[in-house]
PDB file of all heavy atoms in Angstrom:
ATOM      1  N   PHE A 365     -72.362  26.751 -18.998  1.00  0.00           N
ATOM      2  CA  PHE A 365     -73.136  27.204 -20.123  1.00  0.00           C
ATOM      3  C   PHE A 365     -74.565  26.450 -20.109  1.00  0.00           C
ATOM      4  O   PHE A 365     -74.973  25.728 -20.992  1.00  0.00           O
ATOM      5  CB  PHE A 365     -72.499  26.686 -21.406  1.00  0.00           C
ATOM      6  CG  PHE A 365     -71.348  27.786 -21.762  1.00  0.00           C
ATOM      7  CD1 PHE A 365     -70.212  27.556 -21.310  1.00  0.00           C
ATOM      8  CD2 PHE A 365     -71.741  28.937 -22.456  1.00  0.00           C
ATOM      9  CE1 PHE A 365     -68.987  28.439 -21.585  1.00  0.00           C
ATOM     10  CE2 PHE A 365     -70.655  29.795 -22.817  1.00  0.00           C
ATOM     11  CZ  PHE A 365     -69.429  29.544 -22.373  1.00  0.00           C
ATOM     12  N   ASP A 366     -75.411  26.919 -18.942  1.00  0.00           N
ATOM     13  CA  ASP A 366     -76.745  26.498 -18.983  1.00  0.00           C
ATOM     14  C   ASP A 366     -77.627  27.751 -19.243  1.00  0.00           C
ATOM     15  O   ASP A 366     -77.071  28.815 -19.447  1.00  0.00           O
ATOM     16  CB  ASP A 366     -77.096  25.774 -17.672  1.00  0.00           C
ATOM     17  CG  ASP A 366     -76.803  26.763 -16.419  1.00  0.00           C
ATOM     18  OD1 ASP A 366     -76.276  27.922 -16.685  1.00  0.00           O
ATOM     19  OD2 ASP A 366     -76.844  26.251 -15.361  1.00  0.00           O
ATOM     20  N   CYS A 367     -78.931  27.573 -19.103  1.00  0.00           N
ATOM     21  CA  CYS A 367     -79.794  28.740 -19.371  1.00  0.00           C
ATOM     22  C   CYS A 367     -79.585  29.804 -18.368  1.00  0.00           C
ATOM     23  O   CYS A 367     -79.995  31.012 -18.632  1.00  0.00           O
ATOM     24  CB  CYS A 367     -81.284  28.212 -19.386  1.00  0.00           C
ATOM     25  SG  CYS A 367     -81.804  27.465 -17.829  1.00  0.00           S
ATOM     26  N   ILE A 368     -79.090  29.536 -17.136  1.00  0.00           N
ATOM     27  CA  ILE A 368     -78.916  30.682 -16.163  1.00  0.00           C
ATOM     28  C   ILE A 368     -77.771  31.620 -16.605  1.00  0.00           C
ATOM     29  O   ILE A 368     -78.042  32.845 -16.654  1.00  0.00           O
ATOM     30  CB  ILE A 368     -78.607  29.985 -14.813  1.00  0.00           C
ATOM     31  CG1 ILE A 368     -79.737  28.993 -14.427  1.00  0.00           C
ATOM     32  CG2 ILE A 368     -78.472  31.110 -13.658  1.00  0.00           C
ATOM     33  CD1 ILE A 368     -81.155  29.471 -14.367  1.00  0.00           C
ATOM     34  N   THR A 369     -76.725  31.025 -16.931  1.00  0.00           N
ATOM     35  CA  THR A 369     -75.499  31.934 -17.327  1.00  0.00           C
ATOM     36  C   THR A 369     -75.785  32.666 -18.568  1.00  0.00           C
ATOM     37  O   THR A 369     -75.475  33.800 -18.677  1.00  0.00           O
ATOM     38  CB  THR A 369     -74.216  31.044 -17.324  1.00  0.00           C
ATOM     39  OG1 THR A 369     -74.093  30.426 -16.131  1.00  0.00           O
ATOM     40  CG2 THR A 369     -73.051  31.923 -17.605  1.00  0.00           C
ATOM     41  N   THR A 370     -76.446  31.843 -19.507  1.00  0.00           N
ATOM     42  CA  THR A 370     -76.682  32.551 -20.804  1.00  0.00           C
ATOM     43  C   THR A 370     -77.745  33.501 -20.754  1.00  0.00           C
ATOM     44  O   THR A 370     -77.757  34.514 -21.448  1.00  0.00           O
ATOM     45  CB  THR A 370     -77.040  31.472 -21.884  1.00  0.00           C
ATOM     46  OG1 THR A 370     -78.039  30.561 -21.353  1.00  0.00           O
ATOM     47  CG2 THR A 370     -75.791  30.678 -22.223  1.00  0.00           C
ATOM     48  N   GLY A 371     -78.716  33.370 -19.914  1.00  0.00           N
ATOM     49  CA  GLY A 371     -79.742  34.314 -19.581  1.00  0.00           C
ATOM     50  C   GLY A 371     -79.192  35.561 -19.082  1.00  0.00           C
ATOM     51  O   GLY A 371     -79.568  36.767 -19.375  1.00  0.00           O
ATOM     52  N   TYR A 372     -78.235  35.406 -18.108  1.00  0.00           N
ATOM     53  CA  TYR A 372     -77.615  36.566 -17.459  1.00  0.00           C
ATOM     54  C   TYR A 372     -76.765  37.443 -18.547  1.00  0.00           C
ATOM     55  O   TYR A 372     -76.702  38.623 -18.630  1.00  0.00           O
ATOM     56  CB  TYR A 372     -76.661  36.205 -16.296  1.00  0.00           C
ATOM     57  CG  TYR A 372     -75.692  37.210 -15.883  1.00  0.00           C
ATOM     58  CD1 TYR A 372     -76.196  38.243 -15.066  1.00  0.00           C
ATOM     59  CD2 TYR A 372     -74.380  37.165 -16.250  1.00  0.00           C
ATOM     60  CE1 TYR A 372     -75.205  39.203 -14.494  1.00  0.00           C
ATOM     61  CE2 TYR A 372     -73.414  38.143 -15.764  1.00  0.00           C
ATOM     62  CZ  TYR A 372     -73.913  39.193 -14.962  1.00  0.00           C
ATOM     63  OH  TYR A 372     -73.047  40.222 -14.556  1.00  0.00           O
ATOM     64  N   ALA A 373     -76.056  36.623 -19.420  1.00  0.00           N
ATOM     65  CA  ALA A 373     -75.259  37.163 -20.434  1.00  0.00           C
ATOM     66  C   ALA A 373     -76.163  38.052 -21.351  1.00  0.00           C
ATOM     67  O   ALA A 373     -75.795  39.170 -21.799  1.00  0.00           O
ATOM     68  CB  ALA A 373     -74.501  36.142 -21.177  1.00  0.00           C
ATOM     69  N   TYR A 374     -77.343  37.572 -21.601  1.00  0.00           N
ATOM     70  CA  TYR A 374     -78.315  38.299 -22.377  1.00  0.00           C
ATOM     71  C   TYR A 374     -78.632  39.734 -21.840  1.00  0.00           C
ATOM     72  O   TYR A 374     -78.635  40.751 -22.485  1.00  0.00           O
ATOM     73  CB  TYR A 374     -79.570  37.519 -22.666  1.00  0.00           C
ATOM     74  CG  TYR A 374     -80.764  38.368 -23.099  1.00  0.00           C
ATOM     75  CD1 TYR A 374     -80.913  38.895 -24.398  1.00  0.00           C
ATOM     76  CD2 TYR A 374     -81.690  38.680 -22.217  1.00  0.00           C
ATOM     77  CE1 TYR A 374     -82.005  39.630 -24.656  1.00  0.00           C
ATOM     78  CE2 TYR A 374     -82.819  39.507 -22.464  1.00  0.00           C
ATOM     79  CZ  TYR A 374     -82.946  40.057 -23.718  1.00  0.00           C
ATOM     80  OH  TYR A 374     -83.983  40.782 -24.097  1.00  0.00           O
ATOM     81  N   THR A 375     -78.910  39.606 -20.542  1.00  0.00           N
ATOM     82  CA  THR A 375     -79.226  41.014 -19.821  1.00  0.00           C
ATOM     83  C   THR A 375     -78.019  41.977 -19.879  1.00  0.00           C
ATOM     84  O   THR A 375     -78.186  43.162 -19.579  1.00  0.00           O
ATOM     85  CB  THR A 375     -79.537  40.694 -18.336  1.00  0.00           C
ATOM     86  OG1 THR A 375     -78.495  40.192 -17.631  1.00  0.00           O
ATOM     87  CG2 THR A 375     -80.692  39.699 -18.336  1.00  0.00           C
ATOM     88  N   GLN A 376     -76.754  41.404 -20.126  1.00  0.00           N
ATOM     89  CA  GLN A 376     -75.769  42.184 -20.179  1.00  0.00           C
ATOM     90  C   GLN A 376     -75.297  42.633 -21.616  1.00  0.00           C
ATOM     91  O   GLN A 376     -74.118  43.132 -21.911  1.00  0.00           O
ATOM     92  CB  GLN A 376     -74.441  41.530 -19.426  1.00  0.00           C
ATOM     93  CG  GLN A 376     -74.695  41.214 -18.033  1.00  0.00           C
ATOM     94  CD  GLN A 376     -75.066  42.390 -17.229  1.00  0.00           C
ATOM     95  OE1 GLN A 376     -74.282  43.364 -17.134  1.00  0.00           O
ATOM     96  NE2 GLN A 376     -76.234  42.405 -16.613  1.00  0.00           N
ATOM     97  N   GLY A 377     -76.149  42.418 -22.652  1.00  0.00           N
ATOM     98  CA  GLY A 377     -75.962  42.782 -23.913  1.00  0.00           C
ATOM     99  C   GLY A 377     -75.160  41.942 -24.849  1.00  0.00           C
ATOM    100  O   GLY A 377     -74.703  42.257 -25.930  1.00  0.00           O
TER     101      GLY A 377
END
Side-chain angles (χ1 to χ4, degrees):
F365 278 91
D366 57 5
C367 59
I368 304 302
T369 305
T370 50
Y372 169 75
Y374 159 78
T375 65
Q376 300 305 297

